[in-house]
Amino acid sequence: MGLAETSQYEVAEKLFDMYKNDISKIEGVVSYGLNTILDNRSKLYRKIIEVEYSTAEAQKPLMELQNKSSIVVNFNTFYLKDYLNLYFTKTLEAVNAIDDSPQCFAHNDYVGNDTNRGTFNVSIIDEKFYAVSNLHVFADKAELEMYNRDKNYILKRTDVKFVIGGESIFYGKIDLNMINFDVKNGESQDFAACEIGGDLYNRYNEFTKIIWTLKIFL
């Protein structure tokens, strides 16, 4: 019963809060943060912890931390290794930042809006340019609460502001057909996409300048 009532988002967030200081102290770690991904097996969105490191020496302490760490939630034990993805990279990807001031971020553009700002990725879907993140990043906070209570509510404040490198400003609009914000089968889901212009897509890729990234499968 406790397992069924436990949000996997909550588990990832608690693990992140518990071990982020240990992660940040490992020499060679260049970026870390929470991200929402689509699980290829369950086809559900899940929250994970992503860590990028740039030196071979960082791999051993990261794997040791990953394999020995866990947390107990609702009388069930959850292991960090099930929620942590490690990436070896030669260049810092700007999606997440250690100082909690990401170089690339987005927030709802409603005037006077009290909302979250957060990181995002860009993608091409059906030959259109999109920025992809969580709905709680793109949506106005008040509207998000209304939508959470009533999934038939149609978001009206759909304009989103994007900042690249702390200075380049771009805009996009939430695609109301690309929202997944619900709890299904005990799994919290939080996903949204904004249609954007090619200028933002190109500027984002130019700014991040990833040479190559290798995912470590464990």
Side-chain angles (χ1 to χ4, degrees):
M1 185 180 298
L3 183 61
E5 294 175 351
T6 301
S7 164
Q8 295 302 302
Y9 269 31
E10 178 188 2
V11 173
E13 290 167 355
K14 286 182 177 295
L15 282 166
F16 180 65
D17 287 340
M18 179 173 290
Y19 294 108
K20 63 182 179 182
N21 289 335
D22 294 327
I23 292 170
S24 68
K25 292 176 183 177
I26 296 175
E27 186 173 355
V29 169
V30 293
S31 171
Y32 62 91
L34 289 163
N35 193 17
T36 302
I37 64 169
L38 178 64
D39 190 295
N40 291 327
R41 290 175 297 179
S42 67
K43 303 303 180 184
L44 296 172
Y45 290 99
R46 58 189 296 260
K47 185 162 285 190
I48 60 166
I49 302 166
E50 290 186 336
V51 175
E52 289 180 301
Y53 63 98
S54 59
T55 65
E57 291 76 16
Q59 182 175 353
K60 183 178 179 180
L62 280 170
M63 293 181 67
E64 289 177 347
L65 179 66
Q66 176 180 252
N67 291 325
K68 73 178 183 181
S69 303
S70 64
I71 192 172
V72 176
V73 180
N74 292 339
F75 305 105
N76 290 282
T77 301
F78 299 90
Y79 297 93
L80 181 62
K81 65 181 180 180
D82 296 324
Y83 295 85
L84 179 63
N85 282 356
L86 300 177
Y87 298 87
F88 182 51
T89 180
K90 285 199 172 181
T91 306
L92 170 61
E93 184 174 0
V95 173
N96 293 309
I98 291 175
D99 61 3
D100 294 324
S101 299
Q103 290 295 303
C104 300
F105 64 88
H107 62 80
N108 193 271
D109 195 44
Y110 177 64
V111 177
N113 134 68
D114 174 24
T115 190
N116 297 312
R117 77 173 191 173
T119 55
F120 63 95
N121 282 304
V122 295
S123 182
I124 297 178
I125 305 172
D126 295 331
E127 299 183 347
K128 294 182 179 180
F129 298 109
Y130 285 92
V132 178
S133 186
N134 302 126
L135 183 60
H136 75 259
V137 171
F138 290 156
D140 171 69
K141 183 181 291 186
E143 281 209 310
L144 183 64
E145 292 175 356
M146 288 186 281
Y147 182 81
N148 191 33
R149 292 193 297 267
D150 178 11
K151 295 302 183 293
N152 293 317
Y153 178 80
I154 299 176
L155 298 176
K156 301 177 178 63
R157 301 165 184 169
T158 57
D159 292 328
V160 178
K161 181 178 181 179
F162 298 88
V163 179
I164 303 292
E167 55 185 25
S168 299
I169 308 298
F170 300 87
Y171 295 89
K173 190 173 288 288
I174 299 172
D175 187 327
L176 299 179
N177 295 314
M178 298 182 70
I179 293 175
N180 195 333
F181 189 79
D182 207 346
V183 178
K184 295 179 180 178
N185 300 321
E187 186 83 10
S188 298
Q189 300 170 57
D190 183 357
F191 172 86
C194 285
E195 188 168 355
I196 59 173
D199 54 348
L200 170 55
Y201 178 86
N202 292 330
R203 180 70 181 109
Y204 178 90
N205 286 320
E206 174 190 339
F207 184 82
T208 55
K209 292 180 180 175
I210 292 300
I211 297 176
W212 55 272
T213 301
L214 175 66
K215 182 173 181 178
I216 308 299
F217 294 95
L218 300 173

